[in-house]
Amino acid sequence: MADTCGQVLLGAGLTVLSHPLMYIKVLIQVGHEPLSPSLGRNVFGRQVHQLPGLFAYAKHIMKIDGKAGLFKGLAPRLCAGTIGTLVHSKVVQKCQEQGTPQVLGSQQKAVEGSLQHVVNETTKEMIARSCATVVTHPFHVITLRCMVQFIGRETKYSGVLDSIITVYREEGILGFFAGLLPRLLGDVLALWICNLLAHLINTYAIDDSMSHTGELKNCSQAVTGFFASMLTYPFVLVSNLMAVNNCG
C-alpha cells in the first residue's frame, strides 16, 4: 500500500510538471497554429520558414490566459493518473497471485531473462495497462476537451463533474470512450515492441561479461521504449482527434 501511495504521489508530481508540454502538444495535434512562421535555418544551414517552437507557444498561451492557462485540464488528468495507478497496481497484484497462463505452452516456471519469461511478464503488464486505460479513458477525454477549448475560447467543459454531466447528456456513455480503441491498440503495440526488442538486444547484442551490463540493459530498455513510442505515435494522434471530434 505504501508503494502504491508513493507511486500516486510521484505520478501526480510528474503530471503537474509535464502538463504544459502535453497541453501544447495537443493544440499542435489538432492543427492550431496561432503564430506565423518565422525565418530560420534547418540542419543543413538552409534558410526556411519554421513554425513557432515550444517556448514561443507557451508564451502565447500565457499572454492570453496567464500562467494558470498552461494548466487547463489538469484536474481530470490528475484523476486519471491516480485511478490508473491504483487499478494498475491491483491488476498486477491479482495476476501475480493467480499466475499468468504460460503463453508459449511450457508448464515449467520460466527462467528469468528467457523469452518465455519476457512474454509472460509482458502479458501481465498488458492486462494491467489495458484495464487502467479503459477505466481512466473518460477522464482522458475530458482532459483533451478542456484543452482544445483554448482555440475557440469556449467554456463548455469547465470542471470534472460538470464535464461528466455534459458528455453524458450530449453523447451518452459512448461519449466517454471516444478514441479508446486506437489508444488501446497503440499502448499494447508499444509495450510488446519495447519489451521484445529490449530482450533481443539484451540477449544477442550485450554480453554478460561486459562491464556495466546492468546499465547497458537499462539503457536498451529506454531506447526501445522511445523507438516504440515513435512507431505507435499515429495511434495516439488518431485517438486524440477522435476524442475531441464533434464535441462542440
Side-chain angles (χ1 to χ4, degrees), residues 50-64:
Q50 296 176 334
L51 289 172
L54 174 68
F55 295 107
Y57 220 124
K59 286 181 180 178
H60 173 71
I61 294 172
M62 288 191 291
K63 183 179 178 181
I64 296 175

Side-chain angles (χ1 to χ4, degrees), residues 145-203:
R145 294 185 179 187
C146 288
M147 290 176 171
V148 299
Q149 287 185 136
F150 175 81
I151 300 171
R153 311 304 301 159
E154 298 97 353
T155 56
K156 184 176 180 180
Y157 302 92
S158 53
V160 178
L161 186 59
D162 288 343
S163 298
I164 290 173
I165 294 171
T166 300
V167 174
Y168 181 75
R169 185 176 62 243
E170 295 187 357
E171 302 174 57
I173 294 294
L174 292 180
F176 292 108
F177 298 97
L180 174 62
L181 288 180
R183 186 183 176 203
L184 265 180
L185 187 57
D187 284 350
V188 170
L189 285 174
L191 178 64
W192 281 99
I193 291 170
C194 171
N195 287 0
L196 291 178
L197 273 180
H199 172 71
L200 291 174
I201 293 172
N202 293 341
T203 302

Side-chain angles (χ1 to χ4, degrees), residues 91-112:
V91 174
V92 168
Q93 185 180 349
K94 287 292 183 183
C95 287
Q96 290 174 345
E97 290 174 357
Q98 298 178 3
T100 305
Q102 300 298 313
V103 179
L104 296 184
S106 173
Q107 298 301 317
Q108 297 180 348
K109 187 177 180 180
V111 178
E112 187 172 353

